[in-house]
mmCIF file of all heavy atoms in Angstrom:
data_model
loop_
_atom_site.group_PDB
_atom_site.id
_atom_site.type_symbol
_atom_site.label_atom_id
_atom_site.label_comp_id
_atom_site.label_asym_id
_atom_site.label_seq_id
_atom_site.Cartn_x
_atom_site.Cartn_y
_atom_site.Cartn_z
ATOM 1 N N ASP A 112 -25.980 6.560 6.949
ATOM 2 C CA ASP A 112 -27.414 6.469 7.217
ATOM 3 C C ASP A 112 -28.067 5.448 6.286
ATOM 4 O O ASP A 112 -28.878 4.630 6.708
ATOM 5 C CB ASP A 112 -28.042 7.850 7.012
ATOM 6 C CG ASP A 112 -29.511 7.881 7.405
ATOM 7 O OD1 ASP A 112 -29.799 7.599 8.585
ATOM 8 O OD2 ASP A 112 -30.357 8.162 6.544
ATOM 9 N N ASP A 188 -41.504 -13.338 26.556
ATOM 10 C CA ASP A 188 -42.611 -13.571 27.497
ATOM 11 C C ASP A 188 -43.808 -13.943 26.625
ATOM 12 O O ASP A 188 -44.453 -13.066 26.039
ATOM 13 C CB ASP A 188 -42.915 -12.302 28.315
ATOM 14 C CG ASP A 188 -41.722 -11.838 29.152
ATOM 15 O OD1 ASP A 188 -40.866 -12.675 29.494
ATOM 16 O OD2 ASP A 188 -41.652 -10.629 29.444
ATOM 17 N N ARG A 194 -55.050 -15.751 30.777
ATOM 18 C CA ARG A 194 -54.788 -15.083 32.060
ATOM 19 C C ARG A 194 -56.003 -14.245 32.482
ATOM 20 O O ARG A 194 -56.637 -13.603 31.644
ATOM 21 C CB ARG A 194 -53.537 -14.219 31.961
ATOM 22 C CG ARG A 194 -53.051 -13.714 33.309
ATOM 23 C CD ARG A 194 -51.826 -12.824 33.180
ATOM 24 N NE ARG A 194 -52.151 -11.578 32.476
ATOM 25 C CZ ARG A 194 -51.311 -10.570 32.365
ATOM 26 N NH1 ARG A 194 -50.102 -10.638 32.884
ATOM 27 N NH2 ARG A 194 -51.661 -9.486 31.696
ATOM 28 N N TYR A 323 -19.620 8.956 24.511
ATOM 29 C CA TYR A 323 -18.746 8.161 25.355
ATOM 30 C C TYR A 323 -17.344 8.734 25.214
ATOM 31 O O TYR A 323 -16.611 8.372 24.295
ATOM 32 C CB TYR A 323 -18.788 6.700 24.941
ATOM 33 C CG TYR A 323 -20.176 6.106 25.051
ATOM 34 C CD1 TYR A 323 -20.986 5.947 23.940
ATOM 35 C CD2 TYR A 323 -20.683 5.737 26.291
ATOM 36 C CE1 TYR A 323 -22.263 5.411 24.053
ATOM 37 C CE2 TYR A 323 -21.959 5.204 26.412
ATOM 38 C CZ TYR A 323 -22.741 5.043 25.286
ATOM 39 O OH TYR A 323 -23.998 4.521 25.406
ATOM 40 N N HIS A 491 -6.094 -5.794 55.163
ATOM 41 C CA HIS A 491 -7.384 -6.146 54.570
ATOM 42 C C HIS A 491 -8.563 -5.446 55.239
ATOM 43 O O HIS A 491 -9.485 -4.987 54.561
ATOM 44 C CB HIS A 491 -7.585 -7.662 54.581
ATOM 45 C CG HIS A 491 -6.767 -8.364 53.529
ATOM 46 N ND1 HIS A 491 -6.968 -9.672 53.180
ATOM 47 C CD2 HIS A 491 -5.751 -7.918 52.737
ATOM 48 C CE1 HIS A 491 -6.101 -10.002 52.222
ATOM 49 N NE2 HIS A 491 -5.352 -8.969 51.955
ATOM 50 N N GLN A 502 -15.192 2.407 45.336
ATOM 51 C CA GLN A 502 -16.063 1.931 44.268
ATOM 52 C C GLN A 502 -16.912 3.056 43.689
ATOM 53 O O GLN A 502 -17.308 3.018 42.535
ATOM 54 C CB GLN A 502 -16.949 0.848 44.863
ATOM 55 C CG GLN A 502 -17.750 0.081 43.886
ATOM 56 C CD GLN A 502 -18.406 -1.080 44.597
ATOM 57 O OE1 GLN A 502 -17.867 -2.165 44.740
ATOM 58 N NE2 GLN A 502 -19.607 -0.835 45.079
ATOM 59 N N ARG A 503 -17.224 4.043 44.506
ATOM 60 C CA ARG A 503 -17.956 5.204 43.982
ATOM 61 C C ARG A 503 -17.106 6.000 43.009
ATOM 62 O O ARG A 503 -17.620 6.761 42.199
ATOM 63 C CB ARG A 503 -18.313 6.172 45.121
ATOM 64 C CG ARG A 503 -19.399 5.736 46.060
ATOM 65 C CD ARG A 503 -19.638 6.897 47.013
ATOM 66 N NE ARG A 503 -20.648 6.634 48.036
ATOM 67 C CZ ARG A 503 -21.489 7.567 48.501
ATOM 68 N NH1 ARG A 503 -21.433 8.811 48.040
ATOM 69 N NH2 ARG A 503 -22.363 7.275 49.426
ATOM 70 N N ALA A 505 -14.289 4.964 40.964
ATOM 71 C CA ALA A 505 -13.511 4.424 39.849
ATOM 72 C C ALA A 505 -14.213 3.256 39.187
ATOM 73 O O ALA A 505 -15.035 2.564 39.801
ATOM 74 C CB ALA A 505 -12.133 3.972 40.337
ATOM 75 N N ARG A 507 -12.382 0.709 37.905
ATOM 76 C CA ARG A 507 -11.603 -0.513 38.163
ATOM 77 C C ARG A 507 -10.817 -0.348 39.442
ATOM 78 O O ARG A 507 -10.121 0.651 39.619
ATOM 79 C CB ARG A 507 -10.660 -0.806 36.981
ATOM 80 C CG ARG A 507 -9.760 -2.028 37.180
ATOM 81 C CD ARG A 507 -9.189 -2.591 35.869
ATOM 82 N NE ARG A 507 -8.482 -1.593 35.098
ATOM 83 C CZ ARG A 507 -7.161 -1.612 34.846
ATOM 84 N NH1 ARG A 507 -6.399 -2.605 35.306
ATOM 85 N NH2 ARG A 507 -6.603 -0.659 34.122
ATOM 86 N N LEU A 508 -10.935 -1.313 40.340
ATOM 87 C CA LEU A 508 -10.170 -1.340 41.592
ATOM 88 C C LEU A 508 -9.192 -2.500 41.484
ATOM 89 O O LEU A 508 -9.580 -3.614 41.151
ATOM 90 C CB LEU A 508 -11.108 -1.563 42.780
ATOM 91 C CG LEU A 508 -12.250 -0.550 42.924
ATOM 92 C CD1 LEU A 508 -13.123 -0.909 44.130
ATOM 93 C CD2 LEU A 508 -11.709 0.867 43.072
ATOM 94 N N GLU A 518 -6.114 -5.048 30.231
ATOM 95 C CA GLU A 518 -6.393 -6.312 29.547
ATOM 96 C C GLU A 518 -7.690 -6.210 28.737
ATOM 97 O O GLU A 518 -8.691 -5.713 29.237
ATOM 98 C CB GLU A 518 -6.521 -7.396 30.629
ATOM 99 C CG GLU A 518 -6.709 -8.785 30.131
ATOM 100 C CD GLU A 518 -5.420 -9.383 29.545
ATOM 101 O OE1 GLU A 518 -4.327 -9.023 30.039
ATOM 102 O OE2 GLU A 518 -5.528 -10.183 28.606
ATOM 103 N N ALA A 522 -14.283 -9.239 31.525
ATOM 104 C CA ALA A 522 -14.553 -8.649 32.833
ATOM 105 C C ALA A 522 -13.833 -7.305 33.017
ATOM 106 O O ALA A 522 -13.783 -6.783 34.125
ATOM 107 C CB ALA A 522 -14.150 -9.624 33.943
ATOM 108 N N ARG A 536 -21.472 4.600 33.016
ATOM 109 C CA ARG A 536 -22.254 3.369 32.906
ATOM 110 C C ARG A 536 -21.690 2.407 31.870
ATOM 111 O O ARG A 536 -22.338 1.433 31.520
ATOM 112 C CB ARG A 536 -23.704 3.703 32.527
ATOM 113 C CG ARG A 536 -24.483 4.405 33.615
ATOM 114 C CD ARG A 536 -25.755 5.010 33.046
ATOM 115 N NE ARG A 536 -25.445 6.088 32.112
ATOM 116 C CZ ARG A 536 -26.332 6.713 31.359
ATOM 117 N NH1 ARG A 536 -27.588 6.359 31.396
ATOM 118 N NH2 ARG A 536 -25.956 7.703 30.559
ATOM 119 N N ARG A 550 -29.649 -0.434 21.911
ATOM 120 C CA ARG A 550 -30.864 -0.029 22.622
ATOM 121 C C ARG A 550 -31.853 -1.188 22.515
ATOM 122 O O ARG A 550 -31.867 -1.926 21.535
ATOM 123 C CB ARG A 550 -31.460 1.257 22.061
ATOM 124 C CG ARG A 550 -31.587 1.327 20.540
ATOM 125 C CD ARG A 550 -32.240 2.610 20.045
ATOM 126 N NE ARG A 550 -33.671 2.515 20.115
ATOM 127 C CZ ARG A 550 -34.469 2.203 19.080
ATOM 128 N NH1 ARG A 550 -33.968 1.990 17.881
ATOM 129 N NH2 ARG A 550 -35.766 2.118 19.232
ATOM 130 N N CYS A 553 -38.860 -3.798 21.903
ATOM 131 C CA CYS A 553 -39.837 -4.835 22.218
ATOM 132 C C CYS A 553 -40.736 -5.059 21.008
ATOM 133 O O CYS A 553 -41.169 -4.101 20.367
ATOM 134 C CB CYS A 553 -40.666 -4.392 23.422
ATOM 135 S SG CYS A 553 -42.097 -5.440 23.763
ATOM 136 N N TYR A 554 -40.989 -6.337 20.707
ATOM 137 C CA TYR A 554 -41.885 -6.715 19.617
ATOM 138 C C TYR A 554 -43.088 -7.399 20.236
ATOM 139 O O TYR A 554 -42.936 -8.419 20.913
ATOM 140 C CB TYR A 554 -41.167 -7.663 18.654
ATOM 141 C CG TYR A 554 -39.849 -7.102 18.142
ATOM 142 C CD1 TYR A 554 -38.675 -7.254 18.874
ATOM 143 C CD2 TYR A 554 -39.791 -6.399 16.943
ATOM 144 C CE1 TYR A 554 -37.469 -6.732 18.429
ATOM 145 C CE2 TYR A 554 -38.586 -5.869 16.480
ATOM 146 C CZ TYR A 554 -37.436 -6.041 17.234
ATOM 147 O OH TYR A 554 -36.247 -5.512 16.795
ATOM 148 N N GLN A 555 -44.248 -6.835 20.014
ATOM 149 C CA GLN A 555 -45.463 -7.357 20.650
ATOM 150 C C GLN A 555 -46.361 -8.003 19.605
ATOM 151 O O GLN A 555 -46.748 -7.346 18.634
ATOM 152 C CB GLN A 555 -46.184 -6.201 21.351
ATOM 153 C CG GLN A 555 -47.522 -6.582 21.981
ATOM 154 C CD GLN A 555 -48.161 -5.406 22.706
ATOM 155 O OE1 GLN A 555 -47.477 -4.604 23.347
ATOM 156 N NE2 GLN A 555 -49.481 -5.287 22.610
ATOM 157 N N GLU A 560 -43.320 -14.916 11.026
ATOM 158 C CA GLU A 560 -42.459 -14.611 9.878
ATOM 159 C C GLU A 560 -41.885 -13.187 9.916
ATOM 160 O O GLU A 560 -40.949 -12.884 9.190
ATOM 161 C CB GLU A 560 -43.185 -14.885 8.551
ATOM 162 C CG GLU A 560 -44.364 -13.981 8.279
ATOM 163 C CD GLU A 560 -44.837 -14.107 6.802
ATOM 164 O OE1 GLU A 560 -43.987 -14.138 5.900
ATOM 165 O OE2 GLU A 560 -46.064 -14.147 6.589
ATOM 166 N N ASP B 168 -27.112 10.183 50.755
ATOM 167 C CA ASP B 168 -25.685 9.965 50.513
ATOM 168 C C ASP B 168 -25.090 9.068 51.587
ATOM 169 O O ASP B 168 -24.313 8.150 51.309
ATOM 170 C CB ASP B 168 -24.979 11.321 50.483
ATOM 171 C CG ASP B 168 -23.519 11.198 50.090
ATOM 172 O OD1 ASP B 168 -23.259 10.718 48.975
ATOM 173 O OD2 ASP B 168 -22.654 11.567 50.906
ATOM 174 N N ASP B 244 -12.839 -13.492 34.685
ATOM 175 C CA ASP B 244 -11.751 -13.945 33.807
ATOM 176 C C ASP B 244 -10.570 -14.226 34.733
ATOM 177 O O ASP B 244 -9.873 -13.308 35.176
ATOM 178 C CB ASP B 244 -11.369 -12.850 32.796
ATOM 179 C CG ASP B 244 -12.534 -12.455 31.893
ATOM 180 O OD1 ASP B 244 -13.434 -13.292 31.678
ATOM 181 O OD2 ASP B 244 -12.537 -11.313 31.411
ATOM 182 N N ARG B 250 0.533 -17.302 31.005
ATOM 183 C CA ARG B 250 0.306 -16.850 29.631
ATOM 184 C C ARG B 250 1.543 -16.147 29.085
ATOM 185 O O ARG B 250 2.215 -15.404 29.799
ATOM 186 C CB ARG B 250 -0.905 -15.916 29.574
ATOM 187 C CG ARG B 250 -1.373 -15.639 28.154
ATOM 188 C CD ARG B 250 -2.531 -14.657 28.136
ATOM 189 N NE ARG B 250 -2.137 -13.349 28.629
ATOM 190 C CZ ARG B 250 -2.919 -12.256 28.565
ATOM 191 N NH1 ARG B 250 -4.136 -12.361 28.052
ATOM 192 N NH2 ARG B 250 -2.501 -11.097 29.032
ATOM 193 N N TYR B 379 -33.399 10.046 33.005
ATOM 194 C CA TYR B 379 -34.325 9.175 32.289
ATOM 195 C C TYR B 379 -35.693 9.837 32.322
ATOM 196 O O TYR B 379 -36.433 9.685 33.295
ATOM 197 C CB TYR B 379 -34.365 7.800 32.937
ATOM 198 C CG TYR B 379 -33.021 7.109 32.925
ATOM 199 C CD1 TYR B 379 -32.214 7.087 34.061
ATOM 200 C CD2 TYR B 379 -32.540 6.523 31.760
ATOM 201 C CE1 TYR B 379 -30.976 6.461 34.044
ATOM 202 C CE2 TYR B 379 -31.297 5.902 31.736
ATOM 203 C CZ TYR B 379 -30.527 5.880 32.883
ATOM 204 O OH TYR B 379 -29.296 5.273 32.853
ATOM 205 N N HIS B 547 -47.907 -8.676 5.081
ATOM 206 C CA HIS B 547 -46.631 -9.007 5.736
ATOM 207 C C HIS B 547 -45.418 -8.497 4.951
ATOM 208 O O HIS B 547 -44.463 -7.986 5.535
ATOM 209 C CB HIS B 547 -46.522 -10.520 5.973
ATOM 210 C CG HIS B 547 -47.372 -10.988 7.111
ATOM 211 N ND1 HIS B 547 -47.267 -12.237 7.670
ATOM 212 C CD2 HIS B 547 -48.349 -10.358 7.820
ATOM 213 C CE1 HIS B 547 -48.141 -12.367 8.665
ATOM 214 N NE2 HIS B 547 -48.817 -11.238 8.762
ATOM 215 N N GLN B 558 -38.300 0.474 13.495
ATOM 216 C CA GLN B 558 -37.446 0.123 14.623
ATOM 217 C C GLN B 558 -36.524 1.276 15.012
ATOM 218 O O GLN B 558 -36.127 1.408 16.161
ATOM 219 C CB GLN B 558 -36.624 -1.080 14.210
ATOM 220 C CG GLN B 558 -35.857 -1.713 15.298
ATOM 221 C CD GLN B 558 -35.286 -3.024 14.791
ATOM 222 O OE1 GLN B 558 -35.912 -4.061 14.824
ATOM 223 N NE2 GLN B 558 -34.067 -2.944 14.294
ATOM 224 N N ARG B 559 -36.162 2.105 14.047
ATOM 225 C CA ARG B 559 -35.371 3.300 14.380
ATOM 226 C C ARG B 559 -36.184 4.288 15.201
ATOM 227 O O ARG B 559 -35.608 5.140 15.877
ATOM 228 C CB ARG B 559 -34.964 4.039 13.106
ATOM 229 C CG ARG B 559 -33.905 3.408 12.240
ATOM 230 C CD ARG B 559 -33.608 4.385 11.119
ATOM 231 N NE ARG B 559 -32.632 3.895 10.160
ATOM 232 C CZ ARG B 559 -31.743 4.693 9.550
ATOM 233 N NH1 ARG B 559 -31.720 6.002 9.815
ATOM 234 N NH2 ARG B 559 -30.886 4.210 8.682
ATOM 235 N N ALA B 561 -39.029 3.739 17.364
ATOM 236 C CA ALA B 561 -39.825 3.434 18.559
ATOM 237 C C ALA B 561 -39.186 2.356 19.413
ATOM 238 O O ALA B 561 -38.393 1.545 18.939
ATOM 239 C CB ALA B 561 -41.230 2.992 18.154
ATOM 240 N N ARG B 563 -41.155 0.147 21.076
ATOM 241 C CA ARG B 563 -42.003 -1.057 21.014
ATOM 242 C C ARG B 563 -42.793 -1.051 19.722
ATOM 243 O O ARG B 563 -43.420 -0.044 19.385
ATOM 244 C CB ARG B 563 -42.946 -1.100 22.234
ATOM 245 C CG ARG B 563 -43.910 -2.286 22.225
ATOM 246 C CD ARG B 563 -44.513 -2.585 23.609
ATOM 247 N NE ARG B 563 -45.156 -1.435 24.203
ATOM 248 C CZ ARG B 563 -46.480 -1.344 24.439
ATOM 249 N NH1 ARG B 563 -47.293 -2.349 24.138
ATOM 250 N NH2 ARG B 563 -46.994 -0.263 25.003
ATOM 251 N N LEU B 564 -42.727 -2.139 19.001
ATOM 252 C CA LEU B 564 -43.500 -2.327 17.767
ATOM 253 C C LEU B 564 -44.542 -3.388 18.062
ATOM 254 O O LEU B 564 -44.207 -4.463 18.574
ATOM 255 C CB LEU B 564 -42.587 -2.788 16.631
ATOM 256 C CG LEU B 564 -41.390 -1.883 16.324
ATOM 257 C CD1 LEU B 564 -40.559 -2.471 15.186
ATOM 258 C CD2 LEU B 564 -41.852 -0.473 15.958
ATOM 259 N N GLU B 574 -47.703 -3.914 29.569
ATOM 260 C CA GLU B 574 -47.500 -5.065 30.439
ATOM 261 C C GLU B 574 -46.205 -4.906 31.237
ATOM 262 O O GLU B 574 -45.159 -4.551 30.670
ATOM 263 C CB GLU B 574 -47.416 -6.315 29.553
ATOM 264 C CG GLU B 574 -47.320 -7.616 30.286
ATOM 265 C CD GLU B 574 -48.642 -8.013 30.939
ATOM 266 O OE1 GLU B 574 -49.715 -7.681 30.414
ATOM 267 O OE2 GLU B 574 -48.576 -8.642 32.014
ATOM 268 N N ALA B 578 -39.800 -8.712 29.008
ATOM 269 C CA ALA B 578 -39.502 -8.346 27.619
ATOM 270 C C ALA B 578 -40.136 -7.022 27.217
ATOM 271 O O ALA B 578 -40.160 -6.680 26.039
ATOM 272 C CB ALA B 578 -39.965 -9.463 26.685
ATOM 273 N N ARG B 592 -31.833 4.268 25.324
ATOM 274 C CA ARG B 592 -31.131 3.025 25.641
ATOM 275 C C ARG B 592 -31.754 2.283 26.806
ATOM 276 O O ARG B 592 -31.139 1.353 27.335
ATOM 277 C CB ARG B 592 -29.662 3.335 25.955
ATOM 278 C CG ARG B 592 -28.856 3.804 24.762
ATOM 279 C CD ARG B 592 -27.548 4.433 25.212
ATOM 280 N NE ARG B 592 -27.795 5.654 25.974
ATOM 281 C CZ ARG B 592 -26.868 6.349 26.606
ATOM 282 N NH1 ARG B 592 -25.619 5.928 26.596
ATOM 283 N NH2 ARG B 592 -27.183 7.457 27.247
ATOM 284 N N ARG B 606 -23.900 0.647 37.120
ATOM 285 C CA ARG B 606 -22.672 0.861 36.363
ATOM 286 C C ARG B 606 -21.747 -0.312 36.654
ATOM 287 O O ARG B 606 -21.768 -0.879 37.758
ATOM 288 C CB ARG B 606 -22.012 2.195 36.713
ATOM 289 C CG ARG B 606 -21.875 2.490 38.201
ATOM 290 C CD ARG B 606 -21.133 3.791 38.485
ATOM 291 N NE ARG B 606 -19.713 3.587 38.444
ATOM 292 C CZ ARG B 606 -18.924 3.414 39.520
ATOM 293 N NH1 ARG B 606 -19.426 3.466 40.741
ATOM 294 N NH2 ARG B 606 -17.636 3.223 39.380
ATOM 295 N N CYS B 609 -14.902 -3.186 37.737
ATOM 296 C CA CYS B 609 -13.988 -4.315 37.602
ATOM 297 C C CYS B 609 -13.087 -4.397 38.832
ATOM 298 O O CYS B 609 -12.597 -3.374 39.317
ATOM 299 C CB CYS B 609 -13.146 -4.123 36.342
ATOM 300 S SG CYS B 609 -11.784 -5.293 36.186
ATOM 301 N N TYR B 610 -12.916 -5.615 39.333
ATOM 302 C CA TYR B 610 -12.035 -5.873 40.477
ATOM 303 C C TYR B 610 -10.871 -6.716 39.981
ATOM 304 O O TYR B 610 -11.083 -7.819 39.480
ATOM 305 C CB TYR B 610 -12.812 -6.607 41.579
ATOM 306 C CG TYR B 610 -14.089 -5.905 41.984
ATOM 307 C CD1 TYR B 610 -15.269 -6.102 41.276
ATOM 308 C CD2 TYR B 610 -14.111 -5.007 43.045
ATOM 309 C CE1 TYR B 610 -16.442 -5.445 41.626
ATOM 310 C CE2 TYR B 610 -15.275 -4.342 43.408
ATOM 311 C CZ TYR B 610 -16.438 -4.565 42.691
ATOM 312 O OH TYR B 610 -17.602 -3.909 43.044
ATOM 313 N N GLN B 611 -9.685 -6.190 40.123
ATOM 314 C CA GLN B 611 -8.501 -6.873 39.586
ATOM 315 C C GLN B 611 -7.638 -7.395 40.726
ATOM 316 O O GLN B 611 -7.211 -6.619 41.584
ATOM 317 C CB GLN B 611 -7.708 -5.879 38.714
ATOM 318 C CG GLN B 611 -6.411 -6.442 38.155
ATOM 319 C CD GLN B 611 -5.702 -5.435 37.246
ATOM 320 O OE1 GLN B 611 -6.350 -4.716 36.489
ATOM 321 N NE2 GLN B 611 -4.376 -5.365 37.333
ATOM 322 N N GLU B 616 -11.043 -12.635 50.297
ATOM 323 C CA GLU B 616 -11.886 -12.105 51.378
ATOM 324 C C GLU B 616 -12.376 -10.683 51.107
ATOM 325 O O GLU B 616 -13.300 -10.213 51.762
ATOM 326 C CB GLU B 616 -11.164 -12.194 52.734
ATOM 327 C CG GLU B 616 -9.942 -11.337 52.865
ATOM 328 C CD GLU B 616 -9.469 -11.246 54.340
ATOM 329 O OE1 GLU B 616 -10.310 -11.071 55.232
ATOM 330 O OE2 GLU B 616 -8.250 -11.332 54.577
#
Side-chain angles (χ1 to χ4, degrees):
Chain A
D112 186 60
D188 299 335
R194 191 182 66 172
Y323 300 101
H491 285 193
Q502 190 171 272
R503 287 184 182 215
R507 178 160 55 114
L508 304 179
E518 184 74 32
R536 291 165 294 173
R550 47 178 277 262
C553 170
Y554 306 85
Q555 176 178 322
E560 66 167 317
Chain B
D168 186 60
D244 300 334
R250 192 183 65 171
Y379 299 101
H547 285 192
Q558 189 170 274
R559 288 185 182 215
R563 177 161 54 114
L564 304 179
E574 185 73 31
R592 291 165 295 173
R606 48 176 277 261
C609 170
Y610 307 85
Q611 177 177 322
E616 65 167 316

